[in-house]
Amino acid sequence: MDILRDDMRCGICGQLMDAHDAHQQHDDGTPAREGRRVTYVVVALRGATAHYQAIDDPTQTFKTGADWLTEELGIDLSSLVGRQYTCWVEPAEYGVIQSDFKLA
């Protein structure tokens, strides 16, 4: 009986991997990263803080420095509210790491 474990899936596309299929279509020599791309929308600016939430789950709300976020996205502060963007979200020892920011 085969038991499906998360570590038997490709860390990039989620396809199953087994001993017969090394699934090297994404292999560039670096280890696969755990995580996923998430789309967010900035819902408010309060002082120097940008408040944003996940599009697929609005109950997930977060805040970060508005200046930092505009720098990552390459936009002006005046166009931040209502702006959608994506980033790679990767679990870390003490929370998550967000990287590779792109406008949606």
Side-chain angles (χ1 to χ4, degrees):
M1 180 169 134
D2 290 330
I3 298 175
L4 178 62
R5 298 185 336 229
D6 286 339
D7 61 351
M8 298 173 74
R9 293 189 176 273
C10 174
I12 297 172
C13 69
Q15 287 185 346
L16 285 174
M17 299 186 316
D18 60 25
H20 304 293
D21 175 21
H23 187 69
Q24 296 180 6
Q25 70 186 18
H26 306 294
D27 191 9
D28 63 356
T30 59
R33 295 170 30 193
E34 291 183 24
R36 66 185 181 106
R37 183 157 289 281
V38 178
T39 303
Y40 296 102
V41 62
V42 178
V43 293
L45 277 178
R46 294 192 183 107
T49 305
H51 294 255
Y52 60 101
Q53 64 188 28
I55 293 289
D56 63 347
D57 185 0
T59 63
Q60 293 185 32
T61 58
F62 311 94
K63 56 186 174 180
T64 192
D67 288 340
W68 176 83
L69 186 57
T70 57
E71 185 176 319
E72 289 295 316
L73 296 173
I75 61 173
D76 291 327
L77 185 62
S78 63
S79 66
L80 192 58
V81 175
R83 182 68 71 149
Q84 290 186 12
Y85 66 94
T86 66
C87 66
W88 184 259
V89 178
E90 191 170 349
E93 185 175 357
Y94 299 106
V96 297
I97 296 171
Q98 294 180 333
S99 61
D100 193 28
F101 288 77
K102 297 177 182 179
L103 292 173

